[in-house]
Amino acid sequence: MTESVPEDELRLCDFCSSIDWTQITTGPFNPGKAPLQAGQIKSGEHNLGSIRSATTCELCNLIGDASQALKPWWPIGHLLEQPEQITCAFWSKRNRLGSSVQARNLSQVDTLLDMLYAGLKPGFSSTELVKQKFFDELCERGIHLDEKGNGATGSGNEPRRNNSLNRLLVLAGISPVDWKSQTFMQLHPCLYLIPSVDDYAAGNERFSTFPTGRIIRPEANVRLLRRWYETCLAQHEPKCSQPPWLAPDTPWPARLRLIDVRQLCLVEAPEQCPYFALSYVWGDESDPFQMTGGILGDMKKPGFFENQALPKTIVDAIELTKGMGVDFLWVDRLCIMQDSNADKAVQIPQMDLVYSHAAMTIVAASGTAVDGLAGINGTPRIIDQRVARVAKDLSLMNVLRLDQAYEDSRWTTRGWTFQEGLCSRRALIITSDQIFWSCESAKCCESIAFEAFPTTVAPNDIIWHVLSGHKVFGEFGGGNNFAYSELDGMIRGYCNRKLGVQPDALDAFTGVLRRVAFNTGHEFHWGHSVSARFDESLAWCNIVWYYDHEWEVQAKPARRRERHRVRSDDGTVREVPFPSWSWVGWQNVLGVTRAAPRQVVLEPELDIMKLSVNGKALPLCIPSKESKLQSASEINMCGIDRSTSAGWKGSTVIDASLFHQDDEDGEFEDSGRLLFWTSHAALDIEDGKIFNDEKEQVGELKPFRPYQAEKPTGKHSFIVVSRKHNDNNNKVLKAERRLNVLLVEWEDIAMHIASRICSAEVDEEAWVKLGEKREWILVTLT
């Protein structure tokens, strides 16, 4: 780690001396109007062999060390022992710093696509590109737009802070190196001399027009963390205290218990008191200390926790909470009675309330419960900051792996922590090498001084194009996380996590579904909305991609055979099998893709009911005039209506004797099964395609890769679940003359009880032509 260079002269080779690093990293982006490739510009190339031999050049030493991490499976892998055959190129791109007039008027997705297309078709222009050019020209003339859209040139000679960040990447490849080559460094500008975190904690930071890199100490400066928190409380109201996804009438968690960090005992939470919540990984403790009914009374005695062998992470969290000026802390193992099903029946379903009402969540992403919070209360942490001085007042720091410790942490792999992070209004993310801050209005970290810059990440931002382009800044908060349109991404994110206890699969995502329900009016059943296009959602599929060297070691999709625990209000517990028809009933489905991602209210083709454990049926939801959803798109049925389906469809009415009656059957106890009339046929499968007996193709399985699942072959049973609609047009949803079907396996063919294997599509006309080979049956789908 380098803070200063004693000599006045720069230690750079001829090539590094020839580059204007100040302009590339902190000046206006692309002032020379050079042609861009995918919105990026190349600023030079340097041979890797020469870089590694330039022992006196600080920047070459920095690049040479980083190049040791080049991936051997990349196209240049065979040249890694011949560095003279490899070229390093410096590519820069524009990253926005927080919200601005530009952010509101420019679509990042559309601008990126237009830039890519302009690179393929010279002379192409679009509204987004014209807007970007206009904003750039204003900036070059010294006219800047503030948050309200008013022109501003600054006062006097006072320098103005940048509203964008030039992200400088170092790529390796064969000359000429294009923008798609392997990235192995990201160089971030730092003031010289490089400031430290302590300067900012004390309020002694130097002015900088850009967010400078800074030096981290082995022990985190809690004053800086407290400054982040108190700044949010004082300046970010009401956006952070009452974000759009947290309704004002959201109830306070029931029976909430908290740790009093000053009295070191358990207390019943005072209504609306500020408290922190700890999100962590339990780990592999053989006999973890936790709350039980037998010691609850003792735990409420002041000083109780002083004499307990608490895990280091919980001890550090208690000390950090005190240091941040807050009196109460929530920790699951100490605040939920672990031997009481009655208490769990109250607490587990309200995890979203516990974390969303917390004033801040402490995210322990530096290990498990026994490892402590890195940099807090004497817990050690790993610091490896590499810098090189490149100009009189400028150094460069490699920040490519800024959040690598976060991405590699066990916290990001665990199922429960997914909703804990997503449901937090404010989060302090503690990794093994630095600490990050996230709230609805700002993002901060120890190693880059973002405090003086607006650092909001908007809901639809491309995270690689804001701030320093690191994933951690887009994982928490964001205001739009609980929109129905975002549910696809949340389901995929959750399915990429692991659960230590498989029966928790639905419980660990229920908080997210409750937040979406509160914000949108949707009702959910086993992870599927029953308020819009439930029938189509049954045709979900798993689309996943791996690098060639990875797919053989990936686990394939498999039914979740453990049972879901249903807790009644009286504390009694019954177990229900996870349904095959829901994505939550499967493991290793990392690329879950819903067949009906948009909110469009349609009349379903089939009347699908839910079944009780006693075999009685009820509608999936009771329509309510007050909560009627509005379609997000126009609907074009293309001349298709329910009568059009007469060629394959019979009566969908279920006999009244099968319906659940509260006065006769008591409380409805869901079995996870569905009941509906549908059309069934047995068809042949070959290489993912579906054929009738005449060897004519009638459909195909939803996308498959060899490593996703074993492809079925031979004769198999299919049942219709819905009509297919085209979701590709954002403005209009178009009905198609195709049907979504499920490939099923019969558990009891005589009783027509089946389980889902995968989804497929068939041509409606071809399905009708099956004639007598089709049958209309009442199916129970497990």
Side-chain angles (χ1 to χ4, degrees), residues 375-392:
I376 302 295
N377 193 34
T379 299
R381 61 175 172 176
I382 303 166
I383 297 176
D384 182 24
Q385 291 180 285
R386 307 298 303 278
V387 298
R389 186 183 179 190
V390 294
K392 178 183 178 183

Side-chain angles (χ1 to χ4, degrees), residues 628-649:
K628 187 174 181 180
L629 298 177
Q630 299 296 317
S631 292
S633 305
E634 296 179 17
I635 306 169
N636 184 349
M637 294 305 296
C638 301
I640 301 171
D641 57 30
R642 290 172 72 92
S643 64
T644 308
S645 309
W648 59 267
K649 190 167 72 173

Side-chain angles (χ1 to χ4, degrees), residues 126-431:
S126 70
T127 302
E128 301 300 316
L129 295 180
V130 170
K131 287 180 183 178
Q132 185 66 72
K133 181 179 179 182
F134 171 70
F135 286 128
D136 288 346
E137 289 175 348
L138 288 179
C139 183
E140 290 170 11
R141 291 165 55 190
I143 300 174
H144 303 273
L145 296 175
D146 62 17
E147 282 294 297
K148 297 180 181 179
N150 303 317
T153 57
S155 57
N157 296 320
E158 179 185 348
R160 187 183 182 91
R161 298 190 193 274
N162 297 350
N163 61 15
S164 66
L165 176 67
N166 294 340
R167 186 181 179 205
L168 179 60
L169 303 175
V170 185
L171 285 68
I174 306 299
S175 185
V177 179
D178 64 24
W179 64 275
K180 299 185 292 295
S181 300
Q182 183 180 167
T183 300
F184 69 97
M185 289 189 79
Q186 179 179 339
L187 298 174
H188 187 88
C190 310
L191 291 172
Y192 182 83
L193 300 167
I194 303 175
S196 74
V197 163
D198 296 339
D199 299 328
Y200 288 78
N204 297 326
E205 64 265 31
R206 286 177 284 158
F207 178 87
S208 176
T209 60
F210 58 90
T212 177
R214 56 190 176 193
I215 298 300
I216 301 174
R217 305 297 185 192
E219 181 76 11
N221 193 316
V222 176
R223 286 186 300 169
L224 178 67
L225 313 184
R226 186 166 178 168
R227 175 179 170 183
W228 292 342
Y229 173 64
E230 293 179 343
T231 297
C232 181
L233 294 179
Q235 300 179 14
H236 298 168
E237 301 305 317
K239 185 176 181 181
C240 291
S241 62
Q242 200 69 64
W245 52 266
L246 187 64
D249 58 352
T250 301
W252 183 255
R255 303 186 199 173
L256 182 67
R257 307 179 190 93
L258 299 171
I259 299 168
D260 184 323
V261 299
R262 304 191 190 282
Q263 297 293 322
L264 292 178
C265 63
L266 199 68
V267 297
E268 300 296 327
E271 187 77 11
Q272 303 298 325
C273 68
Y275 67 92
F276 287 173
L278 177 63
S279 176
Y280 68 110
V281 177
W282 276 45
D284 305 316
E285 299 167 83
S286 58
D287 185 23
F289 179 81
Q290 53 194 7
M291 182 213 286
T292 61
I295 62 170
L296 176 58
D298 291 336
M299 293 178 73
K300 293 184 176 181
K301 297 176 181 178
F304 173 82
F305 290 118
E306 277 186 298
N307 303 316
Q308 305 304 318
L310 297 178
K312 186 68 164 67
T313 294
I314 296 178
V315 172
D316 291 352
I318 289 173
E319 291 302 313
L320 176 59
T321 302
K322 281 196 293 188
M324 298 282 281
V326 173
D327 294 334
F328 302 107
L329 174 68
W330 185 90
V331 181
D332 56 358
R333 69 166 70 182
L334 301 181
C335 299
I336 299 176
M337 207 176 301
Q338 300 297 321
D339 60 350
S340 168
N341 283 323
D343 197 45
K344 289 181 179 180
V346 173
Q347 303 294 343
I348 288 178
Q350 65 174 9
M351 285 298 96
D352 62 313
L353 299 181
V354 171
Y355 282 92
S356 60
H357 277 293
M360 188 189 81
T361 296
I362 300 171
V363 174
S366 56
T368 67
V370 299
D371 297 311
L373 300 177
I376 302 295
N377 193 34
T379 299
R381 61 175 172 176
I382 303 166
I383 297 176
D384 182 24
Q385 291 180 285
R386 307 298 303 278
V387 298
R389 186 183 179 190
V390 294
K392 178 183 178 183
D393 300 315
L394 184 73
S395 291
L396 297 179
M397 176 185 292
N398 184 12
V399 298
L400 182 68
R401 302 188 179 278
L402 182 80
D403 61 353
Q404 192 66 47
Y406 166 76
E407 291 196 42
D408 291 343
S409 69
R410 287 184 65 178
W411 187 91
T412 63
T413 70
R414 311 313 291 176
W416 276 102
T417 59
F418 179 80
Q419 71 175 8
E420 293 168 5
L422 209 56
C423 293
S424 299
R425 293 178 293 166
R426 306 177 184 91
L428 198 65
I429 304 105
I430 302 175
T431 74

